Amino acid sequence: MSKAKAAVRKHPKKRGQRATSNIFAMFDQAQIQEFKEAFNMIDQNRDGFIDSEDLKDMLSSLGQEPNEQVVESMMSEAPGPLNFTMFLTLFGEKLNGTDPEDVIRNAFACFDEEATGHINEDRLRELLITMGDRFTDAEVDQMFRGSPVDNNGNFDYITFTRILKHGTKDE
């Protein structure tokens, strides 16, 4: 055996380490499967990437009338092509970017003078439209859609906060 071959065996060539995404470690398998289903619903042309046309089609199917600026703004959140890994990464960043559950609950509690866990829906609407980062009427309507509001018009912010951070019981 030649000295060169012996040197190769003695000191094998080191391979570069592959950079792997840790995004899959943030979610359990059931969550990843749900994100995959959502991704596939948005990827209308089934090419493995979400593009602006896919996004427009999906928004239209939800009754929205997307304009080009909104769609391009959404697409610009991804630093490159929006495949499933990038989709999952964006959701991971968004979910990690939200306030902890107790902080959100306490923000609502500031407007619950009787500490009941409820705020009158009309009063909350007024607060959201007139204070801080003001919501539009459409944004408030969207928030209340599917939200826990009882027959007396009281918004259950404790349940809403749990749903916001953990999803519904059905999920």
Side-chain angles (χ1 to χ4, degrees), residues 11 17 43 45-46 58 60 67 80 95 97 114 116-117 119 135 140 146 151 154-155 159-161 163 168-169 171:
H11 302 287
Q17 290 285 10
D43 182 18
N45 62 10
R46 304 285 183 248
M58 186 268 311
S60 294
N67 68 42
L95 293 173
E114 297 171 18
T116 62
I119 302 172
F135 282 51
V140 175
N151 293 336
N154 292 314
F155 173 78
T159 300
F160 178 77
T161 304
I163 291 169
T168 61
K169 291 177 184 175
E171 296 174 336

Side-chain angles (χ1 to χ4, degrees), residues 80-117:
L82 192 52
N83 62 14
F84 179 65
T85 302
M86 180 58 65
F87 181 79
L88 200 58
T89 301
L90 289 173
F91 268 94
E93 289 172 355
K94 292 285 185 190
L95 293 173
N96 279 340
T98 61
D99 289 321
E101 189 171 349
D102 64 326
V103 172
I104 298 169
R105 191 175 42 250
N106 290 341
F108 281 115
C110 291
F111 303 102
D112 179 14
E113 287 120 14
E114 297 171 18
T116 62

Side-chain angles (χ1 to χ4, degrees), residues 32-118:
I32 292 171
Q33 185 59 39
E34 287 180 22
F35 280 121
K36 185 66 173 170
E37 289 172 20
F39 178 86
N40 288 336
M41 290 174 72
I42 298 169
D43 182 18
Q44 299 282 313
N45 62 10
R46 304 285 183 248
D47 65 353
F49 294 90
I50 295 174
D51 58 26
S52 57
E53 287 304 312
D54 291 328
L55 200 51
K56 286 180 198 172
D57 291 345
M58 186 268 311
L59 290 169
S60 294
S61 74
L62 295 172
Q64 303 277 329
E65 291 184 30
N67 68 42
E68 200 63 39
Q69 291 172 322
V70 170
V71 171
E72 288 309 313
S73 172
M74 292 172 129
M75 291 301 299
S76 69
E77 289 188 35
L82 192 52
N83 62 14
F84 179 65
T85 302
M86 180 58 65
F87 181 79
L88 200 58
T89 301
L90 289 173
F91 268 94
E93 289 172 355
K94 292 285 185 190
L95 293 173
N96 279 340
T98 61
D99 289 321
E101 189 171 349
D102 64 326
V103 172
I104 298 169
R105 191 175 42 250
N106 290 341
F108 281 115
C110 291
F111 303 102
D112 179 14
E113 287 120 14
E114 297 171 18
T116 62
H118 296 86

Side-chain angles (χ1 to χ4, degrees), residues 123-134:
R123 181 162 183 263
L124 181 58
R125 174 181 293 278
E126 181 183 335
L127 292 169
L128 291 171
I129 292 172
T130 60
M131 294 181 70
D133 290 335
R134 293 181 177 99

